[in-house]
Amino acid sequence: MVSRDWVKLADKEVKIYDYMISCKDMVLPWSSDLGKIEEFMAEKGRDVAAPVRDDEVVDVVEKEDVERIKGYPKLGVGSVGPDGSWKVGAAIRMRESDKERLEELVKAGIDVVVLDSSQGNSIYQIELIKYIKKMYSDLDVVCGNVLTVSQAQNLILAGVDGLRVGMGSGSICTTQEVCVGGRGQWMNIGLRTC
């Protein structure tokens, strides 16, 4: 059920399991390209498709996703690796306990980790970058947020692969007030090529 289905319901007390649709009409091979996914949705009369590999759902594609990609073809169909599989990322915090979470994420096959911090030039982030690069050298690391060249340089020297540039643009973020600075967000991935 999606929100537009909910709006059309006369009885808002209906149980979700009474209204759910079978997923058998929504699955297709994970290797399906955008055209095949669009054809599948039209044929089944569905707004959602679930690409499956080895009996496991690996993505959920909505009709809006297909239309957005068609409307902006330069965006491409997403980030995929050389084998055609989707690139996957996850975010962690700067806490010691997140090292355990990172280990599980790496086992699950993530390609990139984003270190979630409003102030990226901290000793905590720098130490975590060094730890990640020592333990998981092939894992890409995106860090920030930074405002100045020296902040960015510190993270680059620590081994970061991508930067989040900007600070304090969130609706509940107080970083601009606390640090007396702030800029709009911008993400730069691919420092290795710079």
Side-chain angles (χ1 to χ4, degrees):
M1 175 187 289
V2 293
S3 61
R4 67 179 160 272
D5 296 329
W6 176 257
V7 170
K8 294 176 189 174
L9 278 179
D11 179 11
K12 301 292 190 208
E13 299 299 317
V14 68
K15 302 291 184 198
I16 189 76
Y17 56 79
D18 290 332
Y19 195 74
M20 289 177 67
I21 57 175
S22 170
C23 66
K24 291 181 175 143
D25 291 338
M26 298 170 63
V27 298
L28 72 162
W30 77 278
S31 57
S32 301
D33 63 18
L34 188 65
K36 287 181 184 174
I37 293 172
E38 186 175 28
E39 287 174 19
F40 177 84
M41 288 179 179
E43 178 186 309
K44 298 288 185 179
R46 300 279 184 221
D47 290 340
V48 176
V52 172
R53 178 175 56 189
D54 300 328
D55 295 324
E56 183 179 355
V57 173
V58 294
D59 197 3
V60 175
V61 181
E62 294 183 330
K63 188 175 186 177
E64 290 84 6
D65 297 326
V66 174
E67 291 171 359
R68 177 185 46 80
I69 292 168
K70 284 174 51 183
Y72 299 96
K74 289 184 179 178
L75 290 178
V77 295
S79 298
V80 294
D83 63 350
S85 63
W86 293 105
K87 292 280 190 175
V88 178
I92 63 171
R93 299 170 297 175
M94 300 308 107
R95 299 201 169 103
E96 191 68 26
S97 61
D98 281 287
K99 289 180 180 178
E100 294 173 29
R101 183 168 180 258
L102 177 63
E103 181 180 351
E104 294 302 317
L105 289 166
V106 170
K107 285 179 188 175
I110 64 168
D111 300 292
V112 60
V113 64
V114 178
L115 302 187
D116 187 18
S117 174
S118 59
Q119 209 307 45
N121 189 33
S122 70
I123 189 67
Y124 305 109
Q125 196 166 82
I126 291 170
E127 291 302 318
L128 189 54
I129 294 165
K130 291 176 182 177
Y131 169 82
I132 293 170
K133 287 303 181 179
K134 179 180 175 186
M135 299 299 292
Y136 313 103
S137 59
D138 292 336
L139 183 63
D140 285 339
V141 181
V142 176
C143 296
N145 295 344
V146 296
L147 289 176
T148 67
V149 172
S150 63
Q151 290 173 320
Q153 189 174 30
N154 288 341
L155 297 179
I156 292 167
L157 291 173
V160 74
D161 300 296
L163 288 173
R164 288 173 35 193
V165 179
M167 192 176 290
S169 64
S171 61
I172 62 169
C173 188
T174 61
T175 308
Q176 288 184 1
E177 291 82 16
V178 173
C179 295
V180 193
R183 300 287 183 271
Q185 291 291 113
W186 180 69
M187 189 176 281
N188 178 10
I189 306 294
L191 292 173
R192 291 181 186 160
T193 60
C194 294

